[in-house]
Amino acid sequence: MILLTPASQRFLRASVVTIGTFDGVHLGHRSLLHKAIQLSKEQGVPSVAVTFHPHPASVLKRENAPLLLNSFEERLSLIDEVGIDYCYLVEFDLARAGELAEDFIRGTLFSELGARAVIVGPDFRFGKNRGGDVELLRLMGREMGFEVYADPFVTVNPECAEVIAKVSGAEDSKSPIVVSSTLIRKLILAGELGAARSCLDRDFYISGLVVSGDGRGGSELGYPTANVSFQDNRLLPKDGVYAGWLRVGVEKYASAISIGTRPTYYGESGERVVEAFVIDYSGNLYGRDVTVGFTQYLRSQLVFSSSADLVKQIDDDVRRVRENFR
């Protein structure tokens, strides 16, 4: 995938375009991307994903902006994995937020990308005050010579519908529930990692640098952990212990992962950390970039009367993780 920006001044004569923030690159997003790839092959032109950085909500809503399912780098990597030819990255700021929808169509879609087809979700809104929609795209598409496709909503896996309906607040689990970034955030915060996986088509994960912790895991507990850094605007599952995995390089290892303040030693006022005990790994991870994936919520954070009691619980956690990973 080739990354383009308005500043690069490298524009396309013809393309098939899909547009979105693509936070999570979930099944709904993948449907748009695959449709763009399919049409681009049929028409013999490149496929383009137009996305925005930073997330528009972080500019428009600031303190009320949602925590993100992916870092910017992860989002680009996931889009690349789908097979898109180009990613056109639009820097989103207050000036861009004030751009009229008609100007975005004429400038970005038509002049800069040479759009022959545009694929969006049925509820797609864009431009100043969200003034643009599918109908405006179609109206201007007829004038400028490009087709517009409103891709149908992707609904949740029926096998997970009951759990998802409960978490999302839907009154009827038998009614279709649309896959969305908002829904996936709710599932992750509820510890429903399997249901989130069904919407993402992958495990939920975070990537970060292994940094120094308090050193207690190895010296006192016999379970050395990798303390993984994370960005402040990044969504984490609720505090607790999880079965999951840690990937370093191309290797993936079963891991028992703890999220929380380590209440046995620091109470509720401790720093919130992500720690992974990597099973059957003996190397040094400090300073390495790793990815931590979450597959199953095991238990809440507990306060133990002694380190010995904590070790007994960790023994059981690790046993369960081994079974989960198999």
Side-chain angles (χ1 to χ4, degrees):
M1 182 180 75
I2 299 173
L3 187 65
L4 299 177
T5 68
S8 67
Q9 294 295 307
R10 181 182 176 184
F11 302 140
L12 302 177
R13 297 180 62 183
S15 68
V16 172
V17 180
T18 185
I19 314 165
T21 53
F22 300 117
D23 184 31
V25 195
H26 55 61
L27 286 177
H29 298 146
R30 288 171 184 266
S31 178
L32 295 172
L33 294 166
H34 284 302
K35 179 73 171 181
I37 293 169
Q38 175 189 343
L39 281 176
S40 74
K41 290 178 178 178
E42 292 174 1
Q43 298 191 21
V45 298
S47 57
V48 182
V50 175
T51 193
F52 306 90
H53 181 70
H55 192 293
S58 68
V59 175
L60 298 174
K61 297 183 179 179
R62 296 184 180 273
E63 290 81 6
N64 295 321
L67 295 174
L68 301 180
L69 296 170
N70 289 123
S71 69
F72 170 62
E73 294 77 14
E74 291 165 357
R75 176 162 40 120
L76 292 184
S77 178
L78 287 165
I79 293 173
D80 185 25
E81 287 176 9
V82 176
I84 283 285
D85 295 313
Y86 291 89
C87 181
Y88 191 78
L89 181 63
V90 177
E91 180 180 355
F92 195 87
D93 53 20
L94 291 177
R96 178 65 74 167
E99 181 182 39
L100 294 174
E102 293 84 351
D103 292 339
F104 177 79
I105 295 171
R106 293 190 187 95
T108 299
L109 297 184
F110 187 73
S111 298
E112 297 173 7
L113 298 178
R116 290 188 181 177
V118 177
I119 301 100
V120 294
D123 62 345
F124 180 66
R125 303 299 296 263
F126 65 105
K128 183 178 180 180
N129 298 324
R130 295 169 55 84
D133 57 12
V134 174
E135 289 308 311
L136 178 64
L137 279 170
R138 285 177 172 153
L139 175 64
M140 296 188 68
R142 286 192 289 270
E143 297 174 2
M144 298 179 179
F146 62 81
E147 296 288 333
V148 176
Y149 299 85
D151 203 45
F153 286 123
V154 174
T155 55
V156 303
N157 186 333
E159 294 180 1
C160 302
E162 187 172 344
V163 169
I164 291 173
K166 182 179 179 180
V167 171
S168 66
E171 295 182 358
D172 182 7
S173 63
K174 295 182 180 180
S175 298
I177 301 173
V178 175
V179 172
S180 69
S181 299
T182 299
L183 171 62
I184 295 168
R185 292 186 189 100
K186 291 179 179 179
L187 293 171
I188 291 168
L189 289 173
E192 296 292 350
L193 279 306
R197 184 187 308 114
S198 74
C199 296
L200 289 167
D201 198 30
R202 60 175 175 83
D203 288 332
F204 175 71
Y205 64 75
I206 67 168
S207 299
L209 190 70
V210 177
V211 297
S212 298
D214 58 13
R216 178 179 285 109
S219 61
E220 183 176 334
L221 303 177
Y223 283 100
T225 58
N227 191 323
V228 182
S229 64
F230 57 90
Q231 298 170 335
D232 290 341
N233 66 341
R234 187 67 193 275
L235 182 77
L236 293 178
K238 67 179 181 178
D239 287 2
V241 176
Y242 294 82
W245 46 265
L246 181 143
R247 184 172 63 232
V248 54
V250 297
E251 299 296 329
K252 183 185 286 188
Y253 300 88
S255 300
I257 307 158
S258 172
I259 301 177
T261 61
R262 297 166 291 182
T264 297
Y265 302 103
Y266 301 102
E268 296 182 358
S269 61
E271 177 187 9
R272 196 176 189 220
V273 297
V274 176
E275 297 179 295
F277 170 67
V278 189
I279 298 173
D280 298 329
Y281 182 84
S282 58
N284 186 353
L285 289 173
Y286 285 119
R288 301 286 300 273
D289 287 308
V290 300
T291 300
V292 176
F294 303 87
T295 59
Q296 182 182 355
Y297 176 75
L298 298 181
R299 63 173 176 86
S300 62
Q301 290 274 291
L302 302 172
V303 178
F304 296 90
S305 59
S306 68
S307 293
D309 289 340
L310 174 55
V311 169
K312 290 180 181 179
Q313 179 62 61
I314 296 176
D315 289 340
D316 186 61
D317 294 338
V318 171
R319 176 189 60 78
R320 294 177 65 189
V321 170
R322 285 185 183 277
E323 293 174 354
N324 179 280
F325 197 72
R326 282 199 295 269

